[in-house]
Amino acid sequence: MSDATEQDHHFLSRVLALAQRSRDQGHHPFAAMVVDAEGNVIAEAINASSSDRTAHAEMNALRLASQQFSPQQLASATLYSNAEPCAMCAGGTYWSGVGRVVYGMSEASLLALTGSDPENPTLALPCREVFARGQRPTTVIGPLREDEARLAHEGFWHK
């Protein structure tokens, strides 16, 4: 997408590598990080939903960031995720105050990979639709580099 910056591509590369590490550690292949306006990583996390179904990577990173920074401070931050935030994670992003989201693979592409795998019953609700219902704007950039974002997921899901 034309709105993506060099910094966006840098942090997306980092989050894609983190998603692969998540898979290598036996977790679902999802990762997220929150980066402030100056380019400092203020939180990063992998998926831990095998023990807590709400512990998606985005929610874990948002919880860490929200413990340290107010919604006003997070308004200029960006959430980077290897896959489009689900409805829960989009809601968490909104409530945390994070003002910008950059993601790799779309929910539709993720669904094509996961099929009906009970480990990832995806919601067909794009994050843009969730954010559009809010009272403040959230900038969304993605999907970006979907082929690269798919790599950590290939062969992982049982259809």
Side-chain angles (χ1 to χ4, degrees):
M1 258 189 158
S2 61
D3 293 340
T5 66
E6 188 176 318
Q7 179 172 297
D8 290 334
H9 285 284
H10 169 76
F11 286 112
L12 188 58
S13 292
R14 286 183 59 180
V15 88
L16 294 177
L18 187 59
Q20 182 61 53
R21 271 185 292 185
S22 180
R23 179 181 177 160
D24 293 345
Q25 293 173 13
H27 303 288
H28 290 173
F30 296 102
M33 60 179 51
V34 180
V35 178
D36 69 16
E38 288 75 42
N40 301 303
V41 175
I42 56 176
E44 70 177 32
I46 60 172
N47 189 285
S49 65
S50 58
S51 59
D52 174 354
R53 301 299 289 174
T54 66
H56 290 189
E58 297 93 335
M59 294 297 290
N60 293 338
L62 291 164
R63 283 185 190 109
L64 291 170
S66 294
Q67 291 169 0
Q68 303 170 58
F69 301 95
S70 71
Q72 295 76 17
Q73 292 170 305
L74 291 173
S76 61
T78 300
L79 172 73
Y80 291 92
S81 180
N82 66 308
E84 181 173 359
C86 71
M88 175 182 68
C89 294
T93 302
Y94 178 80
W95 286 109
S96 74
V98 170
R100 192 167 176 270
V101 173
V102 176
Y103 68 86
M105 182 173 36
S106 71
E107 183 279 331
S109 293
L110 178 62
L111 179 59
L113 286 173
T114 64
S116 60
D117 190 313
E119 288 293 311
N120 195 52
T122 59
L123 292 165
L125 181 59
C127 68
R128 284 177 173 85
E129 289 185 34
V130 175
F131 295 132
R133 303 293 191 270
Q135 295 180 6
R136 61 172 176 72
T138 302
T139 301
V140 179
I141 297 174
L144 288 176
R145 298 162 51 187
E146 279 199 285
D147 289 342
E148 195 177 341
R150 282 187 192 96
L151 294 176
H153 293 268
E154 287 181 354
F156 182 85
W157 304 101
H158 310 284
K159 290 191 174 189

